[in-house]
Amino acid sequence: MRIGMVGLGRMGASMTVRLLKGGHELVVFDLDADAVSSATKEGATASSSLADAVSRLESPRIVWLMLPAGDVTQGTLEELGELLESGDVVVDGGNSRYTDTIARAAALAERDIQLVDCGTSGGIWGLKNGYCLMVGGDAHAVEMVEPLFTTLAPEEGFAHVGPVGAGHFVKMVHNGIEYGLMQAYGEGFELLHKNGEFDLDLAQIAEVWRHGSVVRSWLLDLVASALDKNPDLEGISDYVEDSGEGRWTLDAAIDQSIPMPSLALALFTRFASRQDELFAGKLIAALRNEFGGHSLRASEIRAKTGE
């Protein structure tokens, strides 16, 4: 198949290579000229603009987006709505909010352009191992794109999960679960690390847990790899960003009155990691001193006295 690939970041670039190796032809576009140059060295055809990319495709056209969620994706889809024609398909493979996807699909449908949402998981390992693809959209549009899905995914790694929006919804919940899993591993290994009684080898423990343990997983494989390279995680900050999907998952849970305490705690812990000193913690320490005379540490004393 010949398609357009818009967005050549880490995921878009590696997906481009996997598709090229699978025998597909790709016309690529990115604002970063170096990213376009790298893709052309792999066999892709360069384009100078979105309009140029569309002009190099034959009807019915397929344009795949791997862009950041939000305004960038919105603006690109609006421009594509003016460039594409009836029967063309756009695949949004990024992490767009599913409610935005539904609204965008409705706007494109007025021009008889189909939007397929493809929740994509696999990270930088997807090039080698394949990507897990959770796809939403019209059955005919999904069928048009299916050769790309089967090239990108490992065996049994692609599923058409429902109508437009369903792919991004399933990926959103997937990422919410991921938040909780990573938090659980983090807390467990924190306890192992802080234990002063046994002089534990965390890399060894992570490795043995990978074999037959009920907590084994690909994430644990990555834990083992990280600890093998850097047992004390020296030089790594505890600042943890979030992509937004954990927040959206909680929003959906609140809308449906579904309790998700593990995800909520994992998300709030990420927020806490970005603050050097929590005001809430300072206040609690000050309160303990006020009512019980409990001692304050130096930084807490400065917070209380202004010194």
Side-chain angles (χ1 to χ4, degrees):
M1 297 183 68
R2 184 176 178 85
I3 71 158
M5 176 66 77
V6 179
L8 299 172
R10 287 191 300 271
M11 291 287 283
S14 63
M15 293 171 75
T16 294
V17 173
R18 188 172 174 93
L19 287 169
L20 288 168
K21 289 182 176 180
H24 301 283
E25 299 178 15
L26 273 76
V27 178
V28 297
F29 173 66
D30 193 283
L31 295 176
D32 184 345
D34 290 339
V36 174
S37 177
S38 295
T40 58
K41 291 176 182 177
E42 298 288 344
T45 300
S47 62
S48 59
S49 66
L50 205 55
D52 184 33
V54 169
S55 72
R56 295 173 183 270
L57 303 175
E58 297 180 357
S59 184
R61 303 172 185 84
I62 297 174
V63 179
W64 190 304
L65 307 184
M66 289 303 296
L67 299 170
D71 293 342
V72 174
T73 295
Q74 178 68 31
T76 303
L77 285 172
E78 289 175 357
E79 187 175 352
L80 283 172
E82 300 293 330
L83 295 170
L84 297 176
E85 300 175 348
S86 174
D88 292 344
V89 176
V90 182
V91 181
D92 181 2
N95 285 332
S96 293
R97 191 167 188 167
Y98 79 97
T99 49
D100 292 339
T101 297
I102 293 171
R104 292 163 179 165
L108 289 173
E110 294 179 359
R111 299 173 179 266
D112 195 29
I113 299 168
Q114 294 289 330
L115 178 62
V116 171
D117 53 303
C118 179
T120 308
S121 181
I124 59 175
W125 296 89
L127 173 58
K128 177 182 177 181
N129 301 330
Y131 305 86
C132 176
L133 304 178
M134 300 144 266
V135 178
D138 172 79
H140 176 66
V142 172
E143 185 179 352
M144 286 177 60
V145 186
E146 188 165 348
L148 303 176
F149 297 145
T150 55
T151 298
L152 288 169
E155 187 175 357
E156 306 296 330
F158 146 63
H160 182 194
V161 296
V164 69
H168 282 154
F169 181 80
V170 172
K171 177 57 164 45
M172 177 189 76
V173 177
H174 165 282
N175 280 25
I177 293 170
E178 179 186 301
Y179 278 41
L181 290 173
M182 288 194 290
Q183 185 65 30
Y185 281 127
E187 292 175 7
F189 278 90
E190 173 82 8
L191 180 58
L192 294 170
H193 179 68
K194 291 291 178 65
N195 177 274
E197 186 176 1
F198 300 118
D199 190 25
L200 299 172
D201 183 336
L202 302 194
Q204 178 195 47
I205 293 167
E207 182 63 29
V208 75
W209 280 359
R210 293 179 59 231
H211 304 280
S213 163
V214 296
V215 298
R216 66 188 183 275
S217 70
W218 185 57
L219 285 174
L220 183 61
D221 294 345
L222 298 179
V223 169
S225 175
L227 291 173
D228 181 61
K229 297 172 186 173
N230 188 354
D232 293 317
L233 303 182
E234 293 180 0
I236 299 176
S237 168
D238 63 352
Y239 184 105
V240 183
E241 192 55 85
D242 72 284
S243 63
E245 294 206 309
R247 306 180 190 213
W248 303 340
T249 306
L250 278 183
D251 286 343
I254 291 168
D255 288 342
Q256 299 178 54
S257 300
I258 296 173
M260 300 189 75
S262 297
L263 170 56
L265 181 58
L267 179 62
F268 294 152
T269 301
R270 291 193 180 196
F271 294 166
S273 77
R274 302 169 202 168
Q275 302 185 46
D276 292 332
E277 290 187 335
L278 290 174
F279 182 82
K282 294 179 181 181
L283 182 58
I284 292 168
L287 284 171
R288 293 181 76 248
N289 177 258
E290 293 291 337
F291 70 69
H294 300 286
S295 61
L296 295 171
R297 296 186 180 183
S299 61
E300 295 161 347
I301 294 171
R302 287 195 297 271
K304 183 180 180 182
T305 64
E307 295 178 2

